[in-house]
Amino acid sequence: MDFELKSLSAAQAAQLPVDALLVLVPDTTATTRSADQTLTRLVAQAVAHQDLDSGVAKLLSCYRPEGFKASRVTLVRLGDGSPASVRKAVTAGMGALKQPGVQTLGLVFSLTDAGDDTVRAAMQACADASYCYTTTKPSAKARSVKRVVIGVTRAADVERGFAVGKAQVVGVEFAKEWANRPANHATPTLLGEAARKLGRHSGFKTDVLGPKQVEALGMGSFLSVARGSVEPLRFIVMHYNGGAKGSAPVVLVGKGITFDTGGISIKPAAEMDEMKFDMGGAASVLGTFAALAELRPAINVVGLIPSCENMPDGQAVKPGDVVTSMSGQTIEILNTDAEGRLILCDALTYAARFKPRSVVDIATLTGACVIALGGVRSGLFSPRDDLAQALASAGEKSLDLCWRMPLDDEYAEGLKSNFADMGNVAGRAGGAITAAKFLQKFATELPWAHLDIAGTAWKGGAAKGSTGRPVPLLLQYLLDQVEVAPVKPAGRKPAKA
Ligand code: BES
Ligand code: MN
Ligand code: ZN
């Protein structure tokens, strides 16, 4: 999808040679602005005749209205004009313009004030509403909208928002593509190749480690999950170096279970297909790197993706087995379906070598998080207030919300084991938190945060598909770090949480 930013007055918008115009109409100013131009007249008349109610996402679609170049003109109410209301309005408007004949679209902000965040929200809504997965369904109609002109009163005012929006859309779509691919089209090997290709095209370094190298690193926990599958595991390491040499990187760690059957602790059959989305964390890291490659911010970022299948098999790890993690801590695997934490814990240990400014893991980790927060907000866990605050506000700004959850030590009680340093599960109560407490045992020396995206990474039902979340949140967090410039001296122990 190509985006273009243009300075357009209301009068010029009517002359835009596109298939359709989507005009954002603010609730308050529609009747007061001068109504002597084609567009303002149309809006004023529609409002006067009560054909366009106020209230976010109220619509009026017109066909071949007089004086317009575009044959379809849809007016949509903006509500309070916040980025969230712009997203709602554009989503509704795009729904009304879903015709194969609409290949070029003008998204007109000329009647309202556009800001960086509203432009970005509009672009993402536009892309989301027209997205179509086709890789294994060639008969599906690919998105018909090819080009979108964003028309604002003064383009110079929102150039930054436009650039971030473009990169964010690229990142979200990259994440959606890989998360949506069925597990037989998105194996650990294929994910590794996708990361390599992305690195080659964008000029960043990518290392893809296989079982032998992972064994040499001592990642006994990660290895144990991969044992049941004939697909070889991959450990993907990506380096985006936009910042000063030696500047401490942010490390992003994405859970890359390309299919989660549960292993020997096998899952019920219903909806098991959705466990192809269990690499949503990995997809969001890949997508964020795709966005970084577009935007080239001055920051260093390392992406780590432990990836494998979780399968039952004669070779598979069994409940009660004890494995030794890279950290040296032993783990009694009481439930082979709590596998995400088993691959992430070794990746967190590995992350320490980069002496990171922060480490954020992203994982479709627990069904309990879906129960706690549903599909609206991701679960955010961190013992560090500064880091939690930075991630939470990045989520608000990018409309990719999360909510901070507690990490009291009492939640770790249930992880005690008679046969190892810890068990990998702790009963049903507070399952999202006990999973985070498990991970925390591998991040004691790190400025660490964990995002549980089990409820937000994909949608089920008729709209089944990846959301590309939390790429917007991660990208915003990274961009915010560019401004935070001063880098803490490497290797210093963080204050005790
Ligand atoms: N990938 C699942 C988490 C999941 C389940 C995400 C359903 C979205 C929807 C994870 O590996 C898992 O199976 N977790 C278990 C943990 C339990 C065994 C402690 C869960 O949530 O049931
Ligand atoms: Mn599982
Ligand atoms: Zn899983």
Side-chain angles (χ1 to χ4, degrees):
M1 194 169 204
D2 282 333
F3 288 101
E4 197 182 314
L5 180 66
K6 260 203 170 117
S7 292
L8 280 185
S9 67
Q12 290 168 324
Q15 295 313 310
L16 198 63
V18 286
D19 297 324
L21 279 188
L22 179 54
V23 183
L24 303 175
V25 182
D27 266 7
T28 46
T29 56
T31 46
T32 55
R33 289 218 181 165
S34 71
D36 54 355
Q37 307 287 349
T38 309
L39 176 56
T40 46
R41 195 163 50 233
L42 177 67
V43 171
Q45 285 176 357
V47 172
H49 291 91
Q50 300 186 335
D51 285 321
L52 183 62
D53 287 346
S54 57
V56 61
K58 290 281 166 49
L59 286 176
L60 177 65
S61 291
C62 322
Y63 194 64
R64 293 192 184 277
E66 216 182 297
F68 285 87
K69 277 253 166 71
S71 47
R72 305 154 191 91
V73 176
T74 294
L75 310 178
V76 61
R77 284 289 203 179
L78 262 186
D80 64 9
S82 65
S85 69
V86 167
R87 175 166 69 178
K88 256 191 206 147
V90 172
T91 305
M94 291 296 289
L97 288 168
K98 241 186 186 164
Q99 274 87 249
V102 179
Q103 300 190 355
T104 56
L105 173 77
L107 225 168
V108 181
F109 279 89
S110 309
L111 304 178
T112 181
D113 304 315
D116 285 331
D117 295 346
T118 48
V119 164
R120 171 162 55 151
M123 293 166 79
Q124 188 63 59
C126 208
D128 283 337
S130 58
Y131 172 85
C132 185
Y133 170 82
T134 58
T135 308
T136 51
K137 190 182 177 183
S139 64
K141 297 229 179 329
R143 83 162 18 112
S144 55
V145 183
K146 304 276 178 333
R147 195 167 72 90
V148 179
V149 179
I150 311 274
V152 298
T153 327
R154 268 173 40 133
D157 293 348
V158 294
E159 257 162 16
R160 175 68 181 165
F162 179 76
V164 175
K166 265 207 311 196
Q168 182 184 298
V169 166
V170 166
V172 166
E173 304 224 330
F174 199 92
K176 282 186 183 181
E177 170 64 23
W178 279 98
N180 281 335
R181 286 193 189 187
N184 64 331
H185 293 262
T187 58
T189 305
L190 289 168
L191 276 193
E193 284 169 12
R196 241 195 235 294
K197 188 168 161 206
L198 182 63
R200 239 190 347 261
H201 283 234
S202 324
F204 55 76
K205 195 164 82 103
T206 309
D207 296 315
V208 181
L209 314 189
K212 286 216 174 77
Q213 291 147 299
V214 165
E215 193 175 350
L217 284 165
M219 296 184 165
S221 185
F222 178 17
L223 280 164
S224 76
V225 177
R227 287 180 60 94
S229 175
V230 294
E231 288 292 339
L233 66 77
R234 290 289 181 264
F235 186 52
I236 303 168
V237 184
M238 296 181 287
H239 299 269
Y240 169 80
N241 289 324
K245 216 177 162 162
S247 149
V250 173
V251 180
L252 303 177
V253 185
K255 172 178 172 182
I257 294 290
T258 58
F259 197 79
D260 182 12
T261 65
I264 298 298
S265 315
I266 199 162
K267 288 179 180 295
E271 288 164 16
M272 205 206 272
D273 65 289
E274 294 188 9
M275 284 298 121
K276 73 171 185 175
F277 295 117
D278 211 16
M279 36 60 78
S284 76
V285 174
L286 290 172
T288 301
F289 271 69
L292 290 173
E294 284 285 309
L295 208 54
R296 303 253 155 221
I299 185 174
N300 295 335
V301 188
V302 176
L304 301 179
I305 297 176
S307 180
C308 65
E309 286 182 340
N310 185 22
M311 298 287 281
D313 179 75
Q315 301 250 32
V317 72
K318 305 171 293 298
D321 283 1
V322 173
V323 298
T324 304
S325 67
M326 186 182 178
S327 72
Q329 298 176 95
T330 58
I331 305 163
E332 184 185 15
I333 300 179
L334 291 163
N335 189 322
T336 65
D337 197 11
E339 85 297 340
R341 60 198 80 181
L342 295 174
I343 69 171
L344 290 169
C345 68
D346 281 339
L348 288 173
T349 302
Y350 187 85
R353 70 179 53 199
F354 301 107
K355 309 217 181 322
R357 122 189 356 223
S358 63
V359 179
V360 183
D361 79 69
I362 309 102
T364 50
L365 201 64
T366 66
C369 195
V370 189
I371 303 297
L373 295 171
V376 180
R377 288 178 186 260
S378 305
L380 162 63
F381 301 82
S382 180
R384 310 258 306 210
D385 290 342
D386 52 350
L387 182 52
Q389 187 49 50
L391 288 163
S393 55
E396 301 291 329
K397 191 165 163 61
S398 61
L399 300 184
D400 185 1
L401 304 173
C402 61
W403 194 257
R404 192 174 182 187
M405 303 278 279
L407 280 172
D408 304 274
D409 281 337
E410 286 80 356
Y411 285 110
E413 280 297 311
L415 292 170
K416 287 190 172 143
S417 160
N418 291 345
F419 305 102
D421 292 330
M422 69 195 87
N424 75 329
V425 290
R428 278 166 53 80
I433 310 169
T434 56
K437 290 306 286 183
F438 178 95
L439 293 177
Q440 194 182 9
K441 291 179 183 292
F442 299 85
T444 48
E445 310 279 289
L446 296 169
W448 160 81
H450 157 60
L451 288 167
D452 192 332
I453 58 166
T456 53
W458 78 89
K459 289 183 182 147
K464 192 188 289 181
S466 165
T467 60
R469 290 177 68 182
V471 169
L473 182 159
L474 295 172
L475 180 62
Q476 184 62 49
Y477 168 70
L478 294 173
L479 296 179
D480 291 344
Q481 295 313 296
V482 176
E483 281 147 39
V484 177
V487 181
K488 287 176 191 138
R492 212 181 55 190
K493 236 177 139 169
K496 202 173 170 331

